[in-house]
Amino acid sequence: MEFVTYEQEGFIGVVTINRPKALNALNTEVLELLNKVVDAVDLEKTRALILTGAGAKSFVAGADISEMSLLSKAEGENFGKIGNDVFRKIETFPIPVIAAVNGFALGGGCELSLSCDIRICSENALFGQPEVGLGITPGFGGTQRLARVVGIGKAKEMIYTASNIKAEEAYRIGLVNKVCSADELLDEAKKIAKKIVRNAPIAVRASKKAINDGISLDMDNAIVIEEKLFGSCFETEDQKNGMKAFLEKRKVEGFTNK
Ligand code: DAK
């Protein structure tokens, strides 16, 4: 069985973590496959990715506890590195990545969703960082990314208490942008992706880079990052065509990614 699958639908790629028997828990094999699948995405023809989990119950129920329980220190470090590398690859992936969270997003699952640009979830979703109850800290960026998304106070509460939160609470605190029924989840993610892929791809990519690179800088330096990326758009055909279409009071006829 292929633990990570990929489907291309027009400009949209759908990556599915497919290990439902273990609620899509992340073992070394899944992480390595995820890395390979992401590396293989053709950026010429793909403008947005959706990341989801197989089955009705779970996005990702965390790192694989059975595998982790047997790791030596060196193996633990290696496991952590494989995970951190692929999570960072997703976070800095040139095109937007939408997490469609279809159930449990615990530990490494919550952290994986946090590596994505946008999260939406089904009504049965459950988010949490249960690590301190297992004697470890969040290890795939949870101590850093959760606080950046929901604020330091809420992140600390979730991490210190190891309490899970339901979909509505995740929406209330801004962890997800939308809650919908399980049946509609993938379609809702595709609707967002379709809106993204209609826009000028180079400008979308530059916006992602500007937000990601600027967020941890002071405003004086952050704004310089924006200036450079803004300037780079003026070398593109899409900028010329987009503005020309506006001035001629017509819709742009499809951006070319050039
Ligand atoms: N790992 C391995 N197997 C898991 C799993 C997990 N995280 N979560 C579920 N499973 C497996 C169960 O063992 C069970 O397998 P069988 O017994 O059928 O063989 C199957 O999935 C179905 O699970 P349940 O029978 O438990 O299903 P329930 O509906 O009763 O409960 C549950 C669902 C999600 C509430 C429960 O399965 C659960 O609490 N799972 C564990 C959730 C959790 O604690 N996740 C966080 C893991 S810690 C690191 C970086 C990062 C990390 C670690 C290190 N480094 C830098 C080194 C990350 C750590 C984590 O993510």
Side-chain angles (χ1 to χ4, degrees):
M1 185 210 276
E2 209 49 81
F3 282 152
V4 181
T5 63
Y6 182 80
E7 281 168 89
Q8 186 81 35
E9 291 184 26
F11 289 128
I12 302 165
V14 181
V15 178
T16 305
I17 298 181
N18 181 33
R19 200 186 164 217
K21 275 191 184 156
L23 302 181
N24 303 322
L26 303 171
N27 61 12
T28 306
E29 192 178 352
V30 171
L31 289 170
E32 284 176 345
L33 278 169
L34 182 58
N35 194 36
K36 262 195 197 160
V37 166
V38 172
D39 275 346
V41 172
D42 181 346
L43 289 170
E44 290 296 314
K45 63 175 188 190
T46 314
R47 298 183 183 181
L49 276 188
I50 295 171
L51 179 60
T52 193
K57 205 171 159 184
S58 182
F59 174 67
V60 167
D64 190 304
I65 300 172
S66 347
E67 181 178 325
M68 277 194 300
S69 67
L70 304 171
L71 298 182
S72 65
K73 179 170 177 281
E75 288 166 338
E77 279 176 14
N78 184 49
F79 180 73
K81 178 158 174 42
I82 298 171
N84 276 322
D85 287 355
V86 67
F87 282 33
R88 184 75 180 134
K89 188 173 283 182
I90 289 168
E91 183 172 43
T92 58
F93 205 55
I95 57 176
V97 185
I98 301 166
V101 177
N102 56 312
F104 297 116
L106 302 176
C110 186
E111 290 167 307
L112 181 58
S113 77
L114 286 162
S115 304
C116 299
D117 297 278
I118 295 169
R119 285 154 294 285
I120 65 168
C121 75
S122 54
E123 288 154 350
N124 66 331
L126 198 67
F127 292 82
Q129 297 290 160
E131 287 87 348
V132 295
L134 295 166
I136 55 176
T137 65
F140 287 144
T143 59
Q144 305 308 310
R145 295 191 183 103
L146 185 60
R148 281 167 168 78
V149 173
V150 302
I152 196 164
K154 199 68 209 176
K156 284 180 171 174
E157 183 187 338
M158 281 177 68
I159 291 170
Y160 300 168
T161 64
S163 308
N164 298 333
I165 59 167
K166 292 183 178 169
E168 277 311 322
E169 174 71 352
Y171 178 70
R172 197 185 64 77
I173 66 172
L175 180 53
V176 297
N177 295 15
K178 184 164 193 165
V179 180
C180 50
S181 74
D183 290 348
E184 290 166 341
L185 180 67
L186 211 48
D187 282 343
E188 285 297 329
K190 286 178 189 170
K191 267 189 207 162
I192 298 173
K194 279 179 186 154
K195 283 190 187 170
I196 293 172
V197 306
R198 276 206 294 268
N199 295 316
I202 295 169
V204 171
R205 288 182 188 202
S207 300
K208 172 167 178 171
K209 189 163 170 49
I211 294 168
N212 277 1
D213 292 359
I215 198 75
S216 52
L217 300 179
D218 62 87
M219 190 54 79
D220 287 326
N221 286 306
I223 214 73
V224 174
I225 292 191
E226 188 184 79
E227 276 164 24
K228 301 269 178 229
L229 287 158
F230 174 77
S232 71
C233 296
F234 289 81
E235 290 177 321
T236 67
E237 279 176 21
D238 283 341
Q239 174 267 331
K240 306 219 175 330
N241 292 335
M243 291 192 178
K244 189 164 181 274
F246 174 80
L247 293 172
E248 291 170 1
K249 302 197 184 304
R250 57 175 171 84
K251 282 206 165 156
V252 73
E253 279 157 27
F255 288 108
T256 58
N257 200 11
K258 286 184 188 135

